[in-house]
Amino acid sequence: DLPADWARKDANLYLGPITQNSVAFVNGTEVGRRNNDGHEWVFRTHRIPGNLVKPGRNVIAVRIFNEVGLGGFHPGYPAPLKVYRDGAGEVMLPKTWKCQVELSLEPAKIARDLPRGYKVPCALFNAMIAPFTRYPVRGFLWYQGESNAGRPDQHSILFPAMISSWRKLWGDETLPFYFVQLASYQARREKPCDETWAFMRESQTKTLSLPHTGMAIAIDIGDATNVHPKNKQDVGRRLALWAKRDCYGETDTVVSGPLFASSTVEGDRIRIHFTHLGGGLQAKGGELKGFAIACADKQFVWAKATIDGDSVVVWSEDITNPEYVRYAWANNPECTLYNAAGLPAVPFRTDK
């Protein structure tokens, strides 16, 4: 049921992800169709021409074709199905739909289930990397790590080993390898705590000890509700900084945000020193956030912080004998430390 003032005005139909192919109808007229083209997550939004929009009752139908699995609307997906108009609100669609099976076929019998390629050891490498080892390349760009977040210690061994093995395959130990640190994701915590993505980002930072590597920090351009954030433009720009400096001779290019170098305890405060100052430290929005501090028991509390020249001083009235500092140590931290080049600081902890 649509408001009377929506009549004969263009609207949009949002159907979320559908497995696999679909055709959408409004009041008996097709408004859009979409195939998955081999991708599991394809979101459907179709424009509804104004001549199809009626005040009050409208009938929406979706015809779905599915080859594997249950099919239909994506089960349990949190975003509700809806009709909306930009700037004019939205109308949620019912959770229960009438449905009819047009055609149902029994699947073909095979001797055994065929595993997906990404679950077979070396399948992706053999299909997508090995064929190109005979071609010259200038370097590698890598954006991955979400599925490794639960095993950061393993990643700390496997990732450098993979980089070294690729360089050997191309016959050049100096080939640049630039990668993206995991972006912010999931709900923000009220108190400091240990979360898996923080450890994973630390594992990625350790990889910088391998020669000819570089890391693009994405801690400030993630999406709390989407493990694959849409902003890839800034990711690309930050990767390009490393290539511009180290591959194309633009030696004055600032490639990274502030990177933790060392810490010193000064009474009831801790001073943090950085590399990659990029012209100086700055607090985006005017206030430093994202720092936590603890004494020997490692019970971290949120801390105050201020920039003092090329370092940051951290303290809390609740901690009289501080020993450790953490910054941006969460899946989705609040963090405001940047350098003058506009690049965010790398998350870190001193309690290693």
Side-chain angles (χ1 to χ4, degrees):
D1 288 312
L2 297 179
D5 59 357
W6 283 30
R8 303 195 66 77
K9 297 177 182 177
D10 291 352
N12 300 285
L13 171 64
Y14 172 76
L15 297 173
I18 292 178
T19 306
Q20 289 165 291
N21 305 326
S22 65
V23 184
F25 302 84
V26 174
N27 295 322
T29 299
E30 179 181 331
V31 296
R33 60 177 62 204
R34 183 66 193 270
N35 296 332
N36 275 21
D37 299 324
H39 300 285
E40 183 176 1
W41 291 86
V42 177
F43 293 78
R44 268 83 166 168
T45 298
H46 303 297
R47 175 181 168 274
I48 307 175
N51 64 302
L52 297 180
V53 179
K54 301 187 298 183
R57 183 174 184 271
N58 290 259
V59 177
I60 297 172
V62 185
R63 192 179 195 184
I64 297 172
F65 303 82
N66 187 64
E67 297 173 342
V68 179
L70 297 176
F73 298 117
H74 199 280
Y77 196 79
L81 310 187
K82 61 187 178 182
V83 175
Y84 66 94
R85 287 182 55 225
D86 295 332
E90 55 191 21
V91 175
M92 301 304 167
L93 299 183
K95 294 183 178 180
T96 303
W97 291 51
K98 295 180 180 179
C99 67
Q100 177 181 349
V101 177
E102 292 187 69
L103 176 65
S104 178
L105 299 175
E106 288 295 321
K109 302 297 182 181
I110 56 177
R112 58 185 294 271
D113 289 337
L114 299 177
R116 291 174 179 251
Y118 66 84
K119 294 184 178 180
V120 178
C122 297
L124 293 179
F125 173 83
N126 287 335
M128 303 177 71
I129 302 299
F132 294 96
T133 56
R134 296 184 180 184
Y135 294 88
V137 298
R138 190 64 183 86
F140 307 100
L141 303 180
W142 179 267
Y143 190 173
Q144 183 271 341
E146 294 85 353
S147 61
N148 297 91
R151 304 181 302 279
D153 291 338
Q154 181 193 64
H155 179 269
S156 296
I157 299 172
L158 294 183
F159 192 40
M162 189 198 78
I163 294 172
S164 297
S165 69
W166 283 20
R167 287 171 172 171
K168 289 179 182 178
L169 286 167
W170 267 272
D172 186 349
E173 297 291 336
T174 67
L175 279 176
F177 195 106
Y178 306 136
F179 54 94
V180 182
Q181 192 181 55
L182 289 185
S184 51
Y185 177 54
Q186 297 181 338
R188 182 165 291 169
R189 301 291 186 178
E190 293 184 4
K191 298 180 179 180
C193 61
D194 285 326
E195 293 192 285
T196 55
W197 281 40
F199 291 101
M200 182 62 190
R201 294 189 190 104
E202 181 181 63
S203 172
Q204 293 174 306
T205 303
K206 290 178 182 178
T207 308
L208 292 173
S209 62
L210 204 63
H212 311 293
T213 56
M215 183 173 71
I217 302 102
I219 194 68
D220 60 331
I221 52 176
D223 186 333
T225 62
N226 190 345
V227 72
H228 299 295
K230 295 180 180 179
N231 183 358
K232 296 300 190 292
Q233 287 79 12
D234 285 319
V235 170
R237 293 186 186 104
R238 293 175 184 181
L239 286 169
L241 295 174
W242 289 92
K244 289 168 69 175
R245 189 192 71 172
D246 296 343
C247 300
Y248 300 107
E250 299 184 21
T251 55
D252 294 334
T253 301
V254 178
V255 297
S256 173
L259 177 65
F260 170 76
S262 64
S263 64
T264 54
V265 178
E266 300 177 354
D268 61 353
R269 304 187 176 206
I270 298 180
R271 184 179 298 272
I272 308 297
H273 305 273
F274 299 89
T275 59
H276 292 288
L277 296 172
L281 302 176
Q282 62 180 10
K284 190 172 184 179
E287 180 182 358
L288 283 183
K289 298 180 180 181
F291 284 91
I293 195 169
C295 53
D297 62 4
K298 296 185 180 180
Q299 298 300 307
F300 283 88
V301 298
W302 294 125
K304 297 179 180 179
T306 186
I307 296 171
D308 184 16
D310 292 339
S311 62
V312 171
V313 178
V314 186
W315 75 97
S316 169
E317 285 81 1
D318 299 324
I319 304 293
T320 56
N321 298 298
E323 291 193 20
Y324 307 111
V325 167
R326 291 177 172 180
Y327 173 72
W329 192 261
N331 289 350
N332 183 10
E334 186 175 18
C335 43
T336 62
L337 179 60
Y338 284 70
N339 61 20
L343 297 174
V346 182
F348 69 89
R349 61 173 174 158
T350 67
D351 54 306
K352 298 185 180 180

